[in-house]
Amino acid sequence: MSKYIFLSICLLAFLSCKENKESNTESNNSLEEKHRPAYHFTPEANWMNDPNGLVYFEGEYHLFYQYYPDSTVWGPMHWGHAVSKDLVHWEHLPIALYPDSLGYIFSGSAVIDWNNSSGLGVGNEPPMIAMFTYHQMEMEKAGKLDYQYQGLAFSNDKGRTWTKYDGNPVIPNSKPIKDFRDTKVFWNEKANNWLMVLAAQDRVQFWNSPDLIHWEFLSDFGENIGAHGGVWECPDIFPLKIEGTEKEKWVLLLSINPGGPNKGSATQYFVGDFDGKTFQLDTEFKDEVEMYDGLWLDYGRDNYAGVTWSDIPKEDGRKLFIGWMSNWDYAQAVPTEKWRSAMTLPRSLHLVQYENSYRLISKPVREASLLFEKENEAEKNQTAFEIGPEGTAFFEISFKKPSSGKTELIFENTKGENLRFGYDSETDKYYVDRSSSGANDFSENFSKPIIYGPRWSKSDSIELELFLDKASLEVFADGGKTVLTNIFFPSEPFQVLKFKSNNGEIESLEIKMRQTKR
Ligand code: FRU
């Protein structure tokens, strides 16, 4: 190729790239982007699913994620990458991990190898280590069973560039097991070694290692325990103090698809003890798991594959979580054109005593308050509330628990579309009805049936925190004891919030609203 032709091609490529960039910015404000959240993390373009490699290092929260840069549907998986200094404002970074001859890069985790146990660090800086699942498509297509195995990559520049370990895979699939994936690794202080949990079809497996490279199988957990309506995926395990005590229990998070309490994908949890080798489910909790067919981190339909951040400084001490705000039932069909999916708001997880058992509660991270203006209190007896043109706000709402009937919050637009969140005193359940919330014909699995979540609180007052962000509503009820996260696609933003009770007045209704900062 002559130098001239080569230069012309470069110039044309540059111009078309520039044009794309500019049109991206333009279309950000156009109708095409009407469902783009104002304050939830979304990829700039194309397909995203699970959060991966959540790790904190030197003032940055890292968020890697399952990413396919060439389409708005799932495809050969990469790890996309973003960082934040405050968990709520994110900076997009270049793709961190690309597929290679060993396969696509499926879900996994990242840790800081503080003592350079892996020997992969340089100088005094500890390396950042990512452990992920390789998925070899050709092997799967050829009908083999061992097409998933575990790989490692490391970074010596704060996650900006990555090198795959040349001895990959570090855990081959020797059994073989068809679904063998989603490694979550952490330093187990008590056992003084690295611990890994991964999903193996209908159970999880525990492995340990002195150096993140050589792994030994320890035990498994979960066969015939909990919900099994689908394959187990994306586990996580960590100790948590029971609030108000010095006692600690271990919490195991486990995503399952399908088989959630409201169909499709969802995340269940187990509470028990872990002795460094085996996980023992707490007896009372086990009874409840059987009684309720699983206990769920979030009863909404759109919080999946969520896991927690590693290496949060001790002074902070929180267990921080983020989930993928979608559901495999319809994720690839939702009506967004340039990108698909958002993450939930980051949350902190807490364990509380509940009768003889426990509940895992989720609270929005306190940093979420950075997103909103000063609060705006409603006048007494006001039953319609202007949200503003963007359909984004944070609400704190409380009312006396009604003794009968249904009490509803109705988010409306001028097109006659609405999203209803309610409390049903007959069943003592919260619910979300998105059957009239806008576009819903893109998937049969989307709008029906009504989404229910049990009310675990015994208090006389219903306390709600709600985050509305154009196309999603996250409800934290009763201090996070019941959580419902759901997405929807109105043709214009919900600009008014109304209250309705089929049983007279709503007693002691208090409403505070905070508009999103621009
Ligand atoms: C969960 C999941 C994981 C897998 C990844 C592939 O949503 O199915 O089990 O690693 O997505 O993208």
Side-chain angles (χ1 to χ4, degrees):
M1 197 191 313
S2 83
K3 204 171 162 196
Y4 173 74
I5 299 177
F6 177 73
L7 284 176
S8 315
I9 293 175
C10 288
L11 183 66
L12 276 175
F14 171 75
L15 287 176
S16 81
C17 210
K18 193 163 172 273
E19 208 167 75
N20 265 341
K21 258 218 145 111
E22 281 167 2
S23 66
N24 279 354
T25 336
E26 240 165 57
S27 66
N28 273 347
N29 304 322
S30 79
L31 273 182
E32 188 192 311
E33 294 275 289
K34 69 182 168 205
H35 301 306
R36 172 88 76 178
Y39 58 85
H40 284 79
F41 179 80
T42 49
E44 283 176 307
N46 294 315
W47 172 264
M48 173 178 84
N49 56 292
D50 317 355
N52 295 149
L54 304 177
V55 64
Y56 178 85
F57 188 52
E58 297 194 347
E60 290 179 326
Y61 297 92
H62 291 261
L63 166 62
F64 299 89
Y65 51 90
Q66 288 286 277
Y67 187 48
Y68 183 39
D70 297 330
S71 171
T72 49
V73 291
W74 190 90
M77 283 289 111
H78 299 54
W79 275 24
H81 189 196
V83 287
S84 169
K85 290 190 171 20
D86 63 7
L87 287 165
V88 289
H89 298 95
W90 294 95
E91 180 194 341
H92 291 284
L93 291 179
I95 291 175
L97 295 174
Y98 286 79
D100 60 49
S101 61
L102 289 176
Y104 299 175
I105 314 294
F106 269 24
S107 285
S109 51
V111 288
I112 305 304
D113 182 10
W114 291 104
N115 298 321
N116 196 18
S117 65
S118 61
L120 297 169
V122 283
N124 293 330
E125 276 279 288
M128 187 181 281
I129 307 277
M131 298 225 46
F132 53 86
T133 298
Y134 271 118
H135 178 103
Q136 230 295 350
M137 217 37 161
E138 285 75 39
M139 286 169 75
E140 185 188 10
K141 283 191 186 137
K144 302 214 162 122
L145 290 179
D146 56 349
Y147 56 86
Q148 293 186 338
Y149 30 81
Q150 318 315 324
L152 185 152
F154 58 97
S155 166
N156 287 305
D157 57 1
K158 303 188 173 79
R160 270 35 180 201
T161 59
W162 289 85
T163 309
K164 307 243 181 64
Y165 177 59
D166 58 15
N168 275 338
V170 290
I171 304 185
N173 189 346
S174 42
K175 226 174 181 165
I177 300 172
K178 199 167 104 39
D179 294 290
F180 183 60
R181 59 174 178 268
D182 307 338
T183 57
K184 179 73 164 95
V185 177
F186 70 100
W187 177 251
N188 185 6
E189 261 175 32
K190 292 180 186 126
N192 216 26
N193 58 20
W194 295 102
L195 193 98
M196 177 196 287
V197 59
L198 62 84
Q201 250 167 29
D202 61 345
R203 63 198 75 178
V204 295
Q205 292 188 348
F206 297 105
W207 295 67
N208 74 1
S209 167
D211 57 8
L212 293 158
I213 293 168
H214 303 91
W215 291 91
E216 190 191 347
F217 173 76
L218 295 171
S219 64
D220 60 28
F221 166 83
E223 191 188 3
N224 301 325
I225 302 174
H228 276 281
V231 66
W232 281 23
E233 302 185 314
C234 300
D236 192 358
I237 185 167
F238 43 85
L240 267 188
K241 274 213 175 106
I242 303 161
E243 297 245 304
T245 77
E246 283 306 304
K247 215 168 112 189
E248 216 169 55
K249 283 277 167 192
W250 285 74
V251 176
L252 175 64
L253 298 185
L254 206 277
S255 285
I256 169 174
N257 176 52
N262 285 294
K263 295 210 171 141
S265 330
T267 303
Q268 57 182 329
Y269 66 93
F270 299 98
V271 180
D273 296 300
F274 185 74
D275 62 4
K277 218 173 160 187
T278 53
F279 179 76
Q280 188 75 38
L281 191 58
D282 197 83
T283 330
E284 278 80 17
F285 197 80
K286 185 163 188 246
D287 293 345
E288 285 200 301
V289 161
E290 276 162 20
M291 184 158 79
Y292 297 113
D293 198 16
L295 281 143
W296 303 85
L297 177 88
D298 191 320
Y299 283 82
R301 294 202 68 194
D302 299 294
N303 180 359
Y304 191 61
V307 283
T308 62
W309 261 275
S310 54
D311 296 281
I312 296 298
K314 281 231 158 70
E315 319 80 84
D316 180 322
R318 287 177 296 174
K319 221 357 113 185
L320 298 171
F321 166 98
I322 198 166
W324 173 45
M325 197 155 61
S326 198
N327 190 312
W328 282 116
D329 262 3
Y330 42 75
Q332 302 192 74
V334 297
T336 57
E337 278 161 36
K338 270 186 56 192
W339 87 100
R340 279 225 170 88
S341 309
M343 293 296 173
T344 66
L345 268 183
R347 299 150 185 212
S348 61
L349 302 182
H350 310 258
L351 195 62
V352 293
Q353 189 83 42
Y354 180 80
E355 297 174 348
N356 291 329
S357 182
Y358 307 97
R359 287 291 177 271
L360 185 64
I361 65 178
S362 307
K363 291 176 189 283
V365 290
R366 56 173 175 264
E367 290 86 344
S369 70
L370 299 169
L371 297 165
F372 303 99
E373 304 283 0
K374 280 212 335 256
E375 98 201 358
N376 169 344
E377 269 183 68
E379 282 166 31
K380 282 257 169 299
N381 304 324
Q382 187 180 337
T383 51
F385 211 71
E386 288 289 334
I387 298 170
E390 307 271 316
T392 70
F394 166 53
F395 306 87
E396 284 170 283
I397 294 172
S398 62
F399 49 90
K400 188 162 179 276
K401 185 172 104 95
S403 50
S404 62
K406 287 186 181 140
T407 306
E408 277 189 350
L409 279 57
I410 308 170
F411 297 89
E412 287 185 350
N413 62 19
T414 61
K415 304 279 191 237
E417 296 161 348
N418 63 56
L419 178 85
R420 306 167 99 91
F421 167 79
Y423 171 69
D424 181 354
S425 61
E426 310 305 320
T427 55
D428 201 22
K429 281 184 177 160
Y430 293 109
Y431 61 89
V432 172
D433 181 351
R434 57 184 182 184
S435 55
S436 306
S437 62
N440 62 17
D441 56 356
F442 53 86
S443 161
E444 275 186 357
N445 297 325
F446 180 70
S447 65
K448 292 170 273 179
I450 295 176
I451 299 154
Y452 290 101
R455 180 169 196 251
W456 299 119
S457 171
K458 303 275 182 278
S459 144
D460 276 349
S461 157
I462 304 262
E463 309 275 342
L464 307 170
E465 286 179 286
L466 303 100
F467 292 84
L468 177 70
D469 196 1
K470 293 187 190 174
S472 64
L473 181 73
E474 289 162 281
V475 183
F476 299 86
D478 310 308
K481 286 205 177 83
T482 302
V483 185
L484 287 152
T485 300
N486 291 287
I487 57 173
F488 39 84
F489 302 93
S491 59
E492 74 174 24
F494 293 131
Q495 293 168 8
V496 173
L497 168 59
K498 286 188 179 156
F499 292 82
K500 188 180 146 201
S501 153
N502 60 2
N503 188 34
E505 202 193 325
I506 305 173
E507 276 185 73
S508 315
L509 178 61
E510 280 183 31
I511 311 160
K512 286 178 193 159
M513 185 182 86
R514 293 174 65 184
Q515 223 103 42
T516 315
K517 274 187 194 155
R518 290 177 161 264

